[in-house]
Amino acid sequence: AQKVTQAQTEISVVEKEDVTLDCVYETRDTTYYLFWYKQPPSGELVFLIRRNSFDEQNEISGRYSWNFQKSTSSFNFTITASQVVDSAVYFCALREYNNNDMRFGAGTRLTVKP
Amino acid sequence: KAGVTQTPRYLIKTRGQQVTLSCSPISGHRSVSWYQQTPGQGLQFLFEYFSETQRNKGNFPGRFSGRQFSNSRSEMNVSTLELGDSALYLCASSVEQGFGYEQYFGPGTRLTVT
């Protein structure tokens, strides 16, 4: 069965620090999709990135970067030079090709202090 | 383009009552999924609709049901409400069903059952 683990429940950093949010997944499918979502205090989940299992290229988008490693079943998310506006709960999610159930991790609450 | 809208935003109901939540997807999106978010269980998949048909269902009792209309709008119904149904109910839309299509979430309906 598919499973997503975000071991870090809460992280607190000071503005401008770099921070990495960990995501480890389990799946039997060879084709699957990984996602990261941000949930700010307003409650609405915001889509950040999607990765398919055949694309292990790391991606960078501004201060955000993602490291996908199939060998360790991890899809980690790094925020460089964090800002107060980055404070939110971040969710990693997995969707298997043969199972359309989107499985979310428990989320990591990131607090960035000024 | 307008985002996913959900109505109502807040709802208070009594045990035993039933409730209907509404979701309007992003224009052009044909797939609608519903999720329940609680502090204890996190984000859990309820069901997904595409072309007015339920394509996938999560592990929830039959009291939870839904439907999709020809304009892709969707409703979710919970009958015989229980205290444990208190949650944030999130609707998400995507262009097509399943696979790797990213989902865009609405602000949610916060349901409180007393």
Side-chain angles (χ1 to χ4, degrees):
Chain A
Q2 57 184 18
K3 184 180 176 183
V4 177
T5 302
Q6 294 180 257
Q8 305 150 307
T9 306
E10 293 192 34
I11 300 176
S12 180
V13 299
V14 177
E15 209 169 18
K16 296 184 184 174
E17 281 186 26
D18 298 348
V19 58
T20 295
L21 309 181
D22 298 332
C23 173
V24 175
Y25 62 92
E26 292 177 29
T27 177
R28 293 182 198 153
D29 268 17
T30 55
T31 303
Y32 53 88
Y33 305 88
L34 294 162
F35 305 82
W36 274 96
Y37 283 87
K38 172 183 179 180
Q39 188 174 39
S42 61
E44 189 166 336
L45 274 88
V46 177
F47 167 76
L48 295 176
I49 191 172
R50 174 194 62 205
R51 258 291 172 267
N52 73 55
S53 53
F54 299 110
D55 181 3
E56 281 193 77
Q57 270 194 327
N58 292 331
E59 179 151 342
I60 298 174
S61 176
R63 296 184 296 106
Y64 294 172
S65 62
W66 290 269
N67 184 354
F68 175 29
Q69 290 197 334
K70 286 177 74 171
S71 60
T72 55
S73 296
S74 64
F75 186 41
N76 297 337
F77 173 30
T78 297
I79 301 175
T80 303
S82 59
Q83 299 177 0
V84 173
V85 293
D86 295 327
S87 296
V89 180
Y90 290 86
F91 291 95
C92 180
L94 165 70
R95 192 164 200 173
E96 297 172 332
Y97 182 85
N98 291 314
N99 179 357
N100 285 322
D101 178 356
M102 177 90 98
R103 192 62 57 91
F104 283 83
T108 296
R109 180 177 299 278
L110 173 65
T111 302
V112 181
K113 298 176 182 176
Chain B
K1 235 183 202 179
V4 177
T5 57
Q6 291 186 246
T7 56
R9 292 293 310 278
Y10 302 91
L11 207 49
I12 299 176
K13 289 287 188 179
T14 305
R15 255 184 317 178
Q17 287 186 315
Q18 75 163 16
V19 66
T20 298
L21 312 181
S22 181
C23 171
S24 292
I26 292 172
S27 176
H29 284 196
R30 299 198 293 160
S31 173
V32 173
S33 296
W34 289 89
Y35 295 84
Q36 181 195 65
Q37 186 177 24
T38 60
Q41 299 298 318
L43 269 159
Q44 292 185 285
F45 171 76
L46 279 157
F47 28 63
E48 179 178 26
Y49 285 87
F50 180 78
S51 292
E52 302 178 63
T53 303
Q54 186 181 92
R55 300 291 177 156
N56 288 288
K57 191 177 192 306
N59 190 24
F60 277 82
R63 301 185 297 107
F64 292 81
S65 63
R67 59 177 175 167
Q68 187 181 34
F69 302 95
S70 58
N71 61 359
S72 294
R73 192 176 68 85
S74 177
E75 287 183 348
M76 189 193 101
N77 184 275
V78 188
S79 62
T80 318
L81 284 166
E82 300 176 1
L83 294 178
D85 297 333
S86 293
L88 180 66
Y89 289 89
L90 293 163
C91 167
S93 75
S94 60
V95 173
E96 296 287 342
Q97 173 210 351
F99 307 124
Y101 293 103
E102 61 265 27
Q103 297 182 332
Y104 294 89
F105 284 78
T109 294
R110 185 163 296 282
L111 171 65
T112 302
V113 182
T114 62

